[in-house]
Amino acid sequence: MISNLENNLKLTTMTSVQKVAIPSLIEGRDVFVKSKTGTGKTLTYAVPVIHSLQNITPKISRSDGPYAVILVPTRELAIQSFNVLQRLVKPFQWVVPGVVMGGEKRKSEKARLRKGVNVLVATPGRLLDHIEKTKSLELKRVQWIILDEADRLLDLGFEKDVSSILTAVKNSLHSGVRCQTVLLSATLSEGVERLVGISLHNPLSVDVTTEDGGCEKKEATNAQSSSEASFTTPQQLKQFFIIVPSKLRLVTLAAFLLMKNQPEESLATKMIVFMSSRDSVDFHCNLFEKSLSSVAKVRLVFFKLHGNMSQSERTSVFKSFSDATRGIMFCTDVAARGLDLPHVNWIVQYNTPGNPADYVHRVGRTARIGLKGNALLFLTPAEVEYLDILKQHGISPEEILVNDVLKTLTGDASLKIAKNVDQKAQESATELQNSFEDYVLSSDLCLKAAKTAYQSFVRAYATYPSSLKHIFHVRNLHLGHVAKSFSLREAPKELFQCKKQPKAQKRKRGGEKKPVKAKKRITEYSSDTELNGPFPKKRKKPKNKS
């Protein structure tokens, strides 16, 4: 095992969490691991699992079925974990890993399970489906259950599925036999604490929270009551924010991408841009691919990743971006948890995450395992109060000025010392904005994509939790300026009108139906768009005959 780690995985030292957790796992204890993103949690459980299985005598056979079940929240994380296991079992060919997940063909997965898998990586929904319908899947020999990214498993609504899987495993085991359980999470929530209490027996808590990477080891019963409000991010991560009016957001993002992809940059830039919806991902990736490449001084390579893509597309993008030396990937939160994408040096959060935990997971895609990284958060002037929320959780990013970013668009280094540099930058920004708008108006398909992305953004903005409504509220948006950020010259008027026809229909005397006209809610922005649909019709009060 050690020789394989050194020669094939090029690992010579352990991280703090691995030093503390691995010995306890080899001893057979249940362990709850709370650790920063990028600290090597996958190997923390994978090494003890493979070590224990290869040590069984007589040797295990693939026909025995699963000895270990690893539950992960997303397909990309399932693929990544499976790849790590494949490299770990290289010296132990008789230990066979496998993966089942949504988006793949059930028939081929059934054939794989029938042939035999010893370490099974799975997403909860698909595994539960196989437990219920695939007779060849037997769980009577399961010795390990791993719940990776436990908080995300709960966020995605898998709590019921996870409970059903744990119950199925427990019922399949022989009387008196108990399997070892490991739960891993970067953040601690009430749901995770509840899961620890249900699934772990007398667990040990391994908590990596100190800035110097130190690791605290204690009994989980003492740790559960201390659910800290603060989150920890890697010390080598530099965090920034930029305050941008809505109408300048698009050109500012474009300018920032150009600024970080200059020929004079010593390191190739590999960047992830998080957005609120898959429509925004599709629109921005297509827009920049067609319009921005012509003005960039280096070749820009764009990728996109979201949940509406087919599994083969998602797998291809994940592999291509991982192997690339430079590139810009637009994505939703499907890429926010657990993924180890090599050499990513910038994380851009174009749309603000719903809570600080999501912020921590997003920026955790960079500055991994001791490497340096940077993160930038976009805010509008009305959203500045979100910085106070981050500060309450121990996160204090530095400010980058909009004008400093827009200067990139002037394209002339001599202008950086000129007095009219800001004016030149504004003119260049206006010119770039006009080119984006011309592209959107060039075809009905492009215009439809822009309108759809705009609509999805406004709808997503309305879904912020109630605790943040005082910062993120649809009424705070200037919809005309928001439209500019999607290259629309004016806010579409038809997008949010109620499409359903009223059920009640009045009839004319001749027998023809007369449609009932619904009254529209008049708001501050009713000239731009209709957000709330029609008011219910008020009943008339009966007149007093007296």
Side-chain angles (χ1 to χ4, degrees):
M1 174 66 80
I2 294 173
S3 175
N4 184 41
L5 288 170
E6 290 178 343
N7 297 329
N8 294 327
L9 277 75
K10 306 301 179 185
L11 298 174
T12 55
T13 57
M14 292 191 289
T15 63
S16 299
V17 66
Q18 291 166 358
K19 287 178 183 177
V20 177
I22 288 178
S24 300
L25 288 170
I26 291 176
E27 289 171 7
R29 291 201 61 176
D30 287 2
V31 175
F32 167 48
V33 178
K34 181 192 171 191
S35 165
K36 303 174 189 176
T37 57
T39 52
K41 291 195 291 293
T42 302
L43 284 176
T44 300
Y45 68 78
V47 169
V49 167
I50 301 303
H51 172 74
S52 67
L53 297 186
Q54 65 84 24
N55 207 29
I56 295 175
T57 52
K59 289 181 180 179
I60 65 175
S61 168
R62 66 183 303 169
S63 60
D64 294 344
Y67 282 85
V69 174
I70 301 168
L71 293 180
V72 295
T74 64
R75 302 171 191 177
E76 284 72 27
L77 187 52
I79 294 169
Q80 178 180 290
S81 303
F82 173 66
N83 291 337
V84 171
L85 289 167
Q86 278 188 311
R87 297 171 71 186
L88 277 181
V89 300
K90 194 172 182 180
F92 320 113
Q93 297 294 331
W94 61 93
V95 181
V96 181
V99 60
V100 295
M101 58 187 178
E104 294 291 337
K105 293 181 179 178
R106 287 184 178 86
K107 189 175 180 180
S108 60
E109 288 183 346
K110 284 184 178 181
R112 202 179 308 142
L113 293 172
R114 195 178 299 115
K115 197 173 181 181
V117 171
N118 300 131
V119 184
L120 183 59
V121 183
T123 52
R126 178 53 62 90
L127 178 58
L128 187 59
D129 182 58
H130 280 297
I131 289 173
E132 294 172 348
K133 299 178 182 177
T134 306
K135 293 181 180 179
S136 59
L137 177 61
E138 294 185 352
L139 302 172
K140 60 185 179 182
R141 292 185 177 87
V142 173
Q143 298 180 0
W144 292 81
I145 292 182
I146 316 294
L147 304 176
D148 197 5
E149 296 291 341
D151 53 340
R152 187 60 172 167
L153 282 171
L154 302 181
D155 288 345
L156 293 178
F158 287 131
E159 186 170 3
K160 187 177 179 181
D161 290 349
V162 171
S163 298
S164 299
I165 291 168
L166 294 174
T167 302
V169 172
K170 184 179 178 181
N171 294 338
S172 300
L173 297 175
H174 296 295
S175 179
V177 178
R178 189 188 64 83
C179 61
Q180 189 174 349
T181 308
V182 187
L183 191 146
L184 305 100
S185 179
T187 54
L188 186 62
S189 65
E190 291 181 9
V192 173
E193 289 181 0
R194 188 168 58 253
L195 197 57
V196 169
I198 295 172
S199 59
L200 275 67
H201 173 72
N202 190 25
L204 182 76
S205 174
V206 177
D207 195 352
V208 180
T209 55
T210 56
E211 285 297 323
D212 59 357
C215 191
E216 187 178 0
K217 177 179 175 181
K218 55 189 175 182
E219 296 300 318
T221 50
N222 299 330
Q224 277 180 259
S225 60
S226 61
S227 176
E228 293 112 333
S230 63
F231 300 112
T232 54
T233 53
Q235 193 172 10
Q236 66 274 16
L237 173 67
K238 293 183 179 179
Q239 300 176 73
F240 304 93
F241 70 91
I242 185 168
I243 301 173
V244 190
S246 291
K247 62 183 178 182
L248 291 177
R249 280 171 63 85
L250 186 63
V251 290
T252 304
L253 176 61
F256 184 78
L257 299 185
L258 293 173
M259 183 172 73
K260 294 303 172 185
N261 285 276
Q262 298 285 355
E264 58 268 19
E265 288 285 326
S266 57
L267 293 174
T269 301
K270 201 169 177 182
M271 189 180 296
I272 299 177
V273 183
F274 283 99
M275 296 188 163
S276 60
S277 71
R278 60 198 184 198
D279 293 320
S280 285
V281 169
D282 287 334
F283 167 73
H284 286 89
C285 185
N286 186 58
L287 176 69
F288 287 161
E289 198 169 30
K290 301 295 184 184
S291 303
L292 207 59
S293 299
S294 59
V295 296
K297 294 181 180 179
V298 297
R299 181 173 171 267
L300 299 179
V301 184
F302 294 98
F303 303 84
K304 65 178 180 180
L305 185 67
H306 57 70
N308 203 36
M309 298 166 63
S310 69
Q311 185 54 46
S312 58
E313 287 178 313
R314 288 170 64 170
T315 304
S316 175
V317 169
F318 176 66
K319 187 177 185 307
S320 299
F321 186 72
S322 297
D323 295 341
T325 54
R326 63 165 65 240
I328 301 165
M329 183 168 77
F330 296 93
C331 64
T332 58
D333 275 342
V334 72
R337 301 290 183 108
L339 298 187
D340 185 19
L341 298 163
H343 310 301
V344 172
N345 42 23
W346 271 98
I347 299 295
V348 178
Q349 303 193 59
Y350 189 60
N351 298 121
T352 314
N355 59 64
D358 290 334
Y359 175 96
V360 171
H361 283 290
R362 285 179 174 185
V363 300
R365 298 315 99 213
T366 186
R368 299 177 69 81
I369 314 291
L371 299 176
K372 294 181 179 179
N374 306 276
L376 176 65
L377 174 66
F378 272 68
L379 295 169
T380 65
E383 299 167 354
V384 175
E385 198 176 337
Y386 186 74
L387 295 172
D388 296 332
I389 305 291
L390 292 179
K391 195 171 183 180
Q392 291 171 14
H393 292 83
I395 300 169
S396 300
E398 303 174 22
E399 184 174 8
I400 294 178
L401 299 177
V402 176
N403 285 344
D404 292 341
V405 175
L406 293 180
K407 288 173 187 177
T408 307
L409 300 176
T410 59
D412 189 351
S414 62
L415 287 173
K416 293 181 180 179
I417 57 173
K419 291 182 179 179
N420 61 345
V421 62
D422 289 341
Q423 183 182 348
K424 290 286 185 182
Q426 292 292 337
E427 290 174 359
S428 300
T430 303
E431 186 178 343
L432 183 61
Q433 176 71 28
N434 289 336
S435 70
F436 287 152
E437 292 175 7
D438 290 340
Y439 171 76
V440 164
L441 293 174
S442 64
S443 72
D444 291 340
L445 196 64
C446 294
L447 184 60
K448 183 181 178 181
K451 288 182 176 181
T452 304
Y454 166 85
Q455 179 185 29
S456 296
F457 168 79
V458 178
R459 283 179 172 167
Y461 207 86
T463 63
Y464 278 96
S466 56
S467 59
L468 295 177
K469 286 291 187 185
H470 63 290
I471 303 173
F472 304 98
H473 201 289
V474 173
R475 284 198 293 262
N476 297 337
L477 294 176
H478 188 302
L479 296 175
H481 291 176
V482 171
K484 280 283 185 183
S485 69
F486 289 93
S487 301
L488 297 168
R489 289 184 175 160
E490 59 180 16
K493 297 177 182 180
E494 75 278 3
L495 285 180
F496 295 96
Q497 290 175 354
C498 187
K499 293 182 179 180
K500 291 184 180 180
Q501 292 293 331
K503 290 183 180 179
Q505 297 282 342
K506 290 185 178 180
R507 290 183 177 271
K508 294 182 179 179
R509 289 185 179 180
E512 295 178 4
K513 289 184 179 180
K514 180 181 179 182
V516 178
K517 291 184 178 180
K519 292 183 180 179
K520 293 180 180 179
R521 185 189 294 265
I522 299 174
T523 66
E524 182 182 356
Y525 304 109
S526 57
S527 60
D528 292 320
T529 186
E530 200 63 47
L531 287 175
N532 298 300
F535 271 136
K537 193 171 182 180
K538 292 183 179 180
R539 295 181 179 179
K540 294 182 179 180
K541 292 182 179 180
K543 294 181 180 180
N544 193 345
K545 294 181 179 180
S546 60

mmCIF file of all heavy atoms in Angstrom, residues 141-175:
data_model
loop_
_atom_site.group_PDB
_atom_site.id
_atom_site.type_symbol
_atom_site.label_atom_id
_atom_site.label_comp_id
_atom_site.label_asym_id
_atom_site.label_seq_id
_atom_site.Cartn_x
_atom_site.Cartn_y
_atom_site.Cartn_z
ATOM 1 N N ARG A 141 -22.473 -9.057 3.390
ATOM 2 C CA ARG A 141 -21.055 -9.035 3.773
ATOM 3 C C ARG A 141 -20.515 -7.614 3.983
ATOM 4 O O ARG A 141 -19.309 -7.432 4.151
ATOM 5 C CB ARG A 141 -20.210 -9.750 2.719
ATOM 6 C CG ARG A 141 -20.446 -11.252 2.638
ATOM 7 C CD ARG A 141 -19.480 -11.894 1.661
ATOM 8 N NE ARG A 141 -19.643 -13.343 1.617
ATOM 9 C CZ ARG A 141 -20.503 -13.979 0.830
ATOM 10 N NH1 ARG A 141 -21.295 -13.267 0.021
ATOM 11 N NH2 ARG A 141 -20.590 -15.289 0.844
ATOM 12 N N VAL A 142 -21.374 -6.605 3.939
ATOM 13 C CA VAL A 142 -20.912 -5.212 4.068
ATOM 14 C C VAL A 142 -20.245 -4.987 5.425
ATOM 15 O O VAL A 142 -20.832 -5.277 6.472
ATOM 16 C CB VAL A 142 -22.087 -4.227 3.883
ATOM 17 C CG1 VAL A 142 -21.633 -2.798 4.179
ATOM 18 C CG2 VAL A 142 -22.631 -4.314 2.464
ATOM 19 N N GLN A 143 -19.002 -4.485 5.387
ATOM 20 C CA GLN A 143 -18.248 -4.186 6.605
ATOM 21 C C GLN A 143 -18.030 -2.688 6.803
ATOM 22 O O GLN A 143 -17.690 -2.249 7.901
ATOM 23 C CB GLN A 143 -16.886 -4.897 6.567
ATOM 24 C CG GLN A 143 -16.977 -6.411 6.526
ATOM 25 C CD GLN A 143 -15.612 -7.062 6.490
ATOM 26 O OE1 GLN A 143 -14.577 -6.385 6.498
ATOM 27 N NE2 GLN A 143 -15.581 -8.393 6.437
ATOM 28 N N TRP A 144 -18.170 -1.925 5.725
ATOM 29 C CA TRP A 144 -17.937 -0.476 5.782
ATOM 30 C C TRP A 144 -19.110 0.259 5.136
ATOM 31 O O TRP A 144 -19.582 -0.140 4.069
ATOM 32 C CB TRP A 144 -16.672 -0.094 5.010
ATOM 33 C CG TRP A 144 -15.375 -0.566 5.586
ATOM 34 C CD1 TRP A 144 -14.816 -1.803 5.455
ATOM 35 C CD2 TRP A 144 -14.458 0.205 6.366
ATOM 36 N NE1 TRP A 144 -13.615 -1.863 6.104
ATOM 37 C CE2 TRP A 144 -13.365 -0.641 6.672
ATOM 38 C CE3 TRP A 144 -14.447 1.509 6.839
ATOM 39 C CZ2 TRP A 144 -12.277 -0.215 7.424
ATOM 40 C CZ3 TRP A 144 -13.357 1.942 7.589
ATOM 41 C CH2 TRP A 144 -12.289 1.084 7.870
ATOM 42 N N ILE A 145 -19.527 1.354 5.760
ATOM 43 C CA ILE A 145 -20.441 2.312 5.123
ATOM 44 C C ILE A 145 -19.802 3.698 5.248
ATOM 45 O O ILE A 145 -19.479 4.147 6.358
ATOM 46 C CB ILE A 145 -21.830 2.325 5.776
ATOM 47 C CG1 ILE A 145 -22.551 1.008 5.507
ATOM 48 C CG2 ILE A 145 -22.667 3.476 5.220
ATOM 49 C CD1 ILE A 145 -23.946 0.959 6.071
ATOM 50 N N ILE A 146 -19.601 4.347 4.122
ATOM 51 C CA ILE A 146 -18.986 5.679 4.086
ATOM 52 C C ILE A 146 -20.023 6.682 3.585
ATOM 53 O O ILE A 146 -20.620 6.485 2.509
ATOM 54 C CB ILE A 146 -17.753 5.719 3.138
ATOM 55 C CG1 ILE A 146 -16.857 4.493 3.336
ATOM 56 C CG2 ILE A 146 -16.989 7.011 3.329
ATOM 57 C CD1 ILE A 146 -16.181 4.393 4.655
ATOM 58 N N LEU A 147 -20.253 7.736 4.328
ATOM 59 C CA LEU A 147 -21.149 8.822 3.906
ATOM 60 C C LEU A 147 -20.291 10.052 3.647
ATOM 61 O O LEU A 147 -19.907 10.774 4.565
ATOM 62 C CB LEU A 147 -22.196 9.105 4.982
ATOM 63 C CG LEU A 147 -23.060 7.914 5.424
ATOM 64 C CD1 LEU A 147 -23.982 8.309 6.567
ATOM 65 C CD2 LEU A 147 -23.870 7.379 4.260
ATOM 66 N N ASP A 148 -19.952 10.271 2.372
ATOM 67 C CA ASP A 148 -19.066 11.382 2.001
ATOM 68 C C ASP A 148 -19.893 12.619 1.671
ATOM 69 O O ASP A 148 -20.956 12.517 1.051
ATOM 70 C CB ASP A 148 -18.208 10.974 0.798
ATOM 71 C CG ASP A 148 -17.003 11.893 0.616
ATOM 72 O OD1 ASP A 148 -16.779 12.773 1.469
ATOM 73 O OD2 ASP A 148 -16.277 11.720 -0.388
ATOM 74 N N GLU A 149 -19.376 13.805 2.053
ATOM 75 C CA GLU A 149 -20.113 15.070 1.877
ATOM 76 C C GLU A 149 -21.522 14.934 2.456
ATOM 77 O O GLU A 149 -22.534 15.177 1.781
ATOM 78 C CB GLU A 149 -20.168 15.471 0.399
ATOM 79 C CG GLU A 149 -18.814 15.764 -0.225
ATOM 80 C CD GLU A 149 -18.174 17.040 0.319
ATOM 81 O OE1 GLU A 149 -18.893 17.882 0.890
ATOM 82 O OE2 GLU A 149 -16.941 17.192 0.176
ATOM 83 N N ALA A 150 -21.574 14.555 3.737
ATOM 84 C CA ALA A 150 -22.854 14.239 4.386
ATOM 85 C C ALA A 150 -23.817 15.418 4.379
ATOM 86 O O ALA A 150 -25.028 15.245 4.206
ATOM 87 C CB ALA A 150 -22.597 13.781 5.823
ATOM 88 N N ASP A 151 -23.305 16.626 4.561
ATOM 89 C CA ASP A 151 -24.190 17.792 4.580
ATOM 90 C C ASP A 151 -24.870 17.978 3.226
ATOM 91 O O ASP A 151 -26.040 18.330 3.139
ATOM 92 C CB ASP A 151 -23.433 19.062 4.983
ATOM 93 C CG ASP A 151 -22.196 19.298 4.128
ATOM 94 O OD1 ASP A 151 -21.709 18.332 3.496
ATOM 95 O OD2 ASP A 151 -21.704 20.442 4.095
ATOM 96 N N ARG A 152 -24.137 17.711 2.147
ATOM 97 C CA ARG A 152 -24.713 17.846 0.807
ATOM 98 C C ARG A 152 -25.728 16.743 0.533
ATOM 99 O O ARG A 152 -26.731 16.959 -0.156
ATOM 100 C CB ARG A 152 -23.595 17.821 -0.236
ATOM 101 C CG ARG A 152 -24.059 18.131 -1.660
ATOM 102 C CD ARG A 152 -24.672 19.513 -1.747
ATOM 103 N NE ARG A 152 -24.952 19.897 -3.122
ATOM 104 C CZ ARG A 152 -25.697 20.925 -3.470
ATOM 105 N NH1 ARG A 152 -26.254 21.671 -2.533
ATOM 106 N NH2 ARG A 152 -25.896 21.226 -4.727
ATOM 107 N N LEU A 153 -25.472 15.547 1.055
ATOM 108 C CA LEU A 153 -26.445 14.462 0.918
ATOM 109 C C LEU A 153 -27.800 14.888 1.483
ATOM 110 O O LEU A 153 -28.847 14.589 0.920
ATOM 111 C CB LEU A 153 -25.950 13.217 1.655
ATOM 112 C CG LEU A 153 -24.864 12.374 0.969
ATOM 113 C CD1 LEU A 153 -24.337 11.324 1.929
ATOM 114 C CD2 LEU A 153 -25.385 11.721 -0.291
ATOM 115 N N LEU A 154 -27.745 15.610 2.607
ATOM 116 C CA LEU A 154 -28.989 16.059 3.238
ATOM 117 C C LEU A 154 -29.585 17.246 2.492
ATOM 118 O O LEU A 154 -30.799 17.350 2.335
ATOM 119 C CB LEU A 154 -28.723 16.425 4.700
ATOM 120 C CG LEU A 154 -28.135 15.300 5.570
ATOM 121 C CD1 LEU A 154 -27.944 15.778 6.997
ATOM 122 C CD2 LEU A 154 -29.029 14.080 5.553
ATOM 123 N N ASP A 155 -28.733 18.163 2.025
ATOM 124 C CA ASP A 155 -29.215 19.341 1.296
ATOM 125 C C ASP A 155 -29.991 18.949 0.046
ATOM 126 O O ASP A 155 -30.956 19.609 -0.342
ATOM 127 C CB ASP A 155 -28.045 20.243 0.888
ATOM 128 C CG ASP A 155 -27.438 20.967 2.081
ATOM 129 O OD1 ASP A 155 -28.093 20.988 3.139
ATOM 130 O OD2 ASP A 155 -26.315 21.483 1.956
ATOM 131 N N LEU A 156 -29.551 17.894 -0.625
ATOM 132 C CA LEU A 156 -30.189 17.473 -1.870
ATOM 133 C C LEU A 156 -31.421 16.604 -1.631
ATOM 134 O O LEU A 156 -31.991 16.063 -2.568
ATOM 135 C CB LEU A 156 -29.178 16.707 -2.736
ATOM 136 C CG LEU A 156 -28.013 17.534 -3.286
ATOM 137 C CD1 LEU A 156 -27.061 16.656 -4.072
ATOM 138 C CD2 LEU A 156 -28.512 18.674 -4.160
ATOM 139 N N GLY A 157 -31.818 16.454 -0.373
ATOM 140 C CA GLY A 157 -33.035 15.718 -0.063
ATOM 141 C C GLY A 157 -32.872 14.211 -0.032
ATOM 142 O O GLY A 157 -33.843 13.470 -0.216
ATOM 143 N N PHE A 158 -31.633 13.733 0.207
ATOM 144 C CA PHE A 158 -31.376 12.301 0.206
ATOM 145 C C PHE A 158 -31.516 11.657 1.592
ATOM 146 O O PHE A 158 -31.199 10.483 1.754
ATOM 147 C CB PHE A 158 -29.961 12.006 -0.315
ATOM 148 C CG PHE A 158 -29.810 12.198 -1.797
ATOM 149 C CD1 PHE A 158 -28.751 12.948 -2.307
ATOM 150 C CD2 PHE A 158 -30.705 11.633 -2.688
ATOM 151 C CE1 PHE A 158 -28.598 13.113 -3.672
ATOM 152 C CE2 PHE A 158 -30.566 11.802 -4.054
ATOM 153 C CZ PHE A 158 -29.512 12.544 -4.549
ATOM 154 N N GLU A 159 -31.957 12.433 2.587
ATOM 155 C CA GLU A 159 -31.985 11.905 3.951
ATOM 156 C C GLU A 159 -32.837 10.634 4.041
ATOM 157 O O GLU A 159 -32.442 9.654 4.679
ATOM 158 C CB GLU A 159 -32.520 12.971 4.922
ATOM 159 C CG GLU A 159 -32.447 12.544 6.382
ATOM 160 C CD GLU A 159 -32.749 13.693 7.330
ATOM 161 O OE1 GLU A 159 -33.073 14.796 6.859
ATOM 162 O OE2 GLU A 159 -32.659 13.469 8.546
ATOM 163 N N LYS A 160 -33.988 10.631 3.380
ATOM 164 C CA LYS A 160 -34.870 9.462 3.422
ATOM 165 C C LYS A 160 -34.214 8.274 2.724
ATOM 166 O O LYS A 160 -34.273 7.127 3.220
ATOM 167 C CB LYS A 160 -36.206 9.799 2.755
ATOM 168 C CG LYS A 160 -37.250 8.707 2.890
ATOM 169 C CD LYS A 160 -38.566 9.142 2.258
ATOM 170 C CE LYS A 160 -39.610 8.029 2.369
ATOM 171 N NZ LYS A 160 -40.896 8.434 1.722
ATOM 172 N N ASP A 161 -33.579 8.529 1.577
ATOM 173 C CA ASP A 161 -32.904 7.446 0.847
ATOM 174 C C ASP A 161 -31.751 6.869 1.656
ATOM 175 O O ASP A 161 -31.556 5.647 1.700
ATOM 176 C CB ASP A 161 -32.377 7.961 -0.499
ATOM 177 C CG ASP A 161 -33.498 8.269 -1.482
ATOM 178 O OD1 ASP A 161 -34.644 7.884 -1.190
ATOM 179 O OD2 ASP A 161 -33.226 8.899 -2.513
ATOM 180 N N VAL A 162 -30.956 7.750 2.282
ATOM 181 C CA VAL A 162 -29.826 7.296 3.094
ATOM 182 C C VAL A 162 -30.317 6.433 4.254
ATOM 183 O O VAL A 162 -29.748 5.368 4.545
ATOM 184 C CB VAL A 162 -29.006 8.493 3.619
ATOM 185 C CG1 VAL A 162 -27.954 8.039 4.643
ATOM 186 C CG2 VAL A 162 -28.316 9.218 2.465
ATOM 187 N N SER A 163 -31.384 6.870 4.913
ATOM 188 C CA SER A 163 -31.946 6.096 6.029
ATOM 189 C C SER A 163 -32.423 4.725 5.556
ATOM 190 O O SER A 163 -32.201 3.717 6.235
ATOM 191 C CB SER A 163 -33.114 6.859 6.669
ATOM 192 O OG SER A 163 -32.684 8.083 7.200
ATOM 193 N N SER A 164 -33.044 4.680 4.369
ATOM 194 C CA SER A 164 -33.521 3.402 3.813
ATOM 195 C C SER A 164 -32.360 2.474 3.494
ATOM 196 O O SER A 164 -32.437 1.260 3.721
ATOM 197 C CB SER A 164 -34.353 3.655 2.551
ATOM 198 O OG SER A 164 -35.483 4.451 2.836
ATOM 199 N N ILE A 165 -31.269 3.043 2.967
ATOM 200 C CA ILE A 165 -30.085 2.237 2.640
ATOM 201 C C ILE A 165 -29.448 1.680 3.911
ATOM 202 O O ILE A 165 -29.088 0.491 3.984
ATOM 203 C CB ILE A 165 -29.064 3.078 1.837
ATOM 204 C CG1 ILE A 165 -29.621 3.387 0.445
ATOM 205 C CG2 ILE A 165 -27.723 2.343 1.717
ATOM 206 C CD1 ILE A 165 -28.843 4.440 -0.312
ATOM 207 N N LEU A 166 -29.302 2.524 4.930
ATOM 208 C CA LEU A 166 -28.726 2.077 6.207
ATOM 209 C C LEU A 166 -29.578 0.960 6.821
ATOM 210 O O LEU A 166 -29.043 -0.023 7.356
ATOM 211 C CB LEU A 166 -28.605 3.252 7.178
ATOM 212 C CG LEU A 166 -27.619 4.359 6.798
ATOM 213 C CD1 LEU A 166 -27.706 5.520 7.782
ATOM 214 C CD2 LEU A 166 -26.195 3.833 6.749
ATOM 215 N N THR A 167 -30.894 1.109 6.731
ATOM 216 C CA THR A 167 -31.801 0.081 7.264
ATOM 217 C C THR A 167 -31.665 -1.221 6.483
ATOM 218 O O THR A 167 -31.635 -2.318 7.062
ATOM 219 C CB THR A 167 -33.258 0.573 7.195
ATOM 220 O OG1 THR A 167 -33.377 1.785 7.944
ATOM 221 C CG2 THR A 167 -34.204 -0.454 7.779
ATOM 222 N N ALA A 168 -31.565 -1.117 5.145
ATOM 223 C CA ALA A 168 -31.428 -2.317 4.306
ATOM 224 C C ALA A 168 -30.133 -3.060 4.610
ATOM 225 O O ALA A 168 -30.114 -4.297 4.675
ATOM 226 C CB ALA A 168 -31.478 -1.915 2.828
ATOM 227 N N VAL A 169 -29.046 -2.320 4.823
ATOM 228 C CA VAL A 169 -27.762 -2.950 5.158
ATOM 229 C C VAL A 169 -27.855 -3.636 6.517
ATOM 230 O O VAL A 169 -27.421 -4.785 6.693
ATOM 231 C CB VAL A 169 -26.625 -1.908 5.156
ATOM 232 C CG1 VAL A 169 -25.332 -2.520 5.694
ATOM 233 C CG2 VAL A 169 -26.397 -1.362 3.745
ATOM 234 N N LYS A 170 -28.435 -2.932 7.466
ATOM 235 C CA LYS A 170 -28.569 -3.483 8.832
ATOM 236 C C LYS A 170 -29.403 -4.761 8.829
ATOM 237 O O LYS A 170 -29.055 -5.746 9.496
ATOM 238 C CB LYS A 170 -29.212 -2.435 9.743
ATOM 239 C CG LYS A 170 -29.303 -2.847 11.198
ATOM 240 C CD LYS A 170 -29.925 -1.730 12.036
ATOM 241 C CE LYS A 170 -30.055 -2.158 13.494
ATOM 242 N NZ LYS A 170 -30.683 -1.099 14.337
ATOM 243 N N ASN A 171 -30.478 -4.783 8.055
ATOM 244 C CA ASN A 171 -31.340 -5.961 7.994
ATOM 245 C C ASN A 171 -30.697 -7.124 7.253
ATOM 246 O O ASN A 171 -31.064 -8.286 7.475
ATOM 247 C CB ASN A 171 -32.673 -5.601 7.328
ATOM 248 C CG ASN A 171 -33.492 -4.629 8.170
ATOM 249 O OD1 ASN A 171 -33.297 -4.519 9.374
ATOM 250 N ND2 ASN A 171 -34.396 -3.919 7.524
ATOM 251 N N SER A 172 -29.738 -6.816 6.357
ATOM 252 C CA SER A 172 -29.085 -7.875 5.578
ATOM 253 C C SER A 172 -27.988 -8.581 6.363
ATOM 254 O O SER A 172 -27.636 -9.723 6.052
ATOM 255 C CB SER A 172 -28.493 -7.284 4.284
ATOM 256 O OG SER A 172 -29.501 -6.703 3.489
ATOM 257 N N LEU A 173 -27.400 -7.893 7.354
ATOM 258 C CA LEU A 173 -26.289 -8.473 8.115
ATOM 259 C C LEU A 173 -26.791 -9.556 9.058
ATOM 260 O O LEU A 173 -27.950 -9.560 9.485
ATOM 261 C CB LEU A 173 -25.582 -7.372 8.918
ATOM 262 C CG LEU A 173 -24.917 -6.261 8.104
ATOM 263 C CD1 LEU A 173 -24.365 -5.189 9.036
ATOM 264 C CD2 LEU A 173 -23.799 -6.817 7.226
ATOM 265 N N HIS A 174 -25.889 -10.472 9.381
ATOM 266 C CA HIS A 174 -26.222 -11.515 10.341
ATOM 267 C C HIS A 174 -26.421 -10.900 11.722
ATOM 268 O O HIS A 174 -25.877 -9.836 12.045
ATOM 269 C CB HIS A 174 -25.109 -12.564 10.390
ATOM 270 C CG HIS A 174 -24.942 -13.309 9.102
ATOM 271 N ND1 HIS A 174 -25.913 -14.130 8.587
ATOM 272 C CD2 HIS A 174 -23.909 -13.337 8.220
ATOM 273 C CE1 HIS A 174 -25.491 -14.640 7.441
ATOM 274 N NE2 HIS A 174 -24.279 -14.179 7.190
ATOM 275 N N SER A 175 -27.186 -11.556 12.544
ATOM 276 C CA SER A 175 -27.490 -11.052 13.880
ATOM 277 C C SER A 175 -26.206 -10.843 14.688
ATOM 278 O O SER A 175 -25.336 -11.715 14.731
ATOM 279 C CB SER A 175 -28.402 -12.049 14.600
ATOM 280 O OG SER A 175 -28.692 -11.603 15.901
#
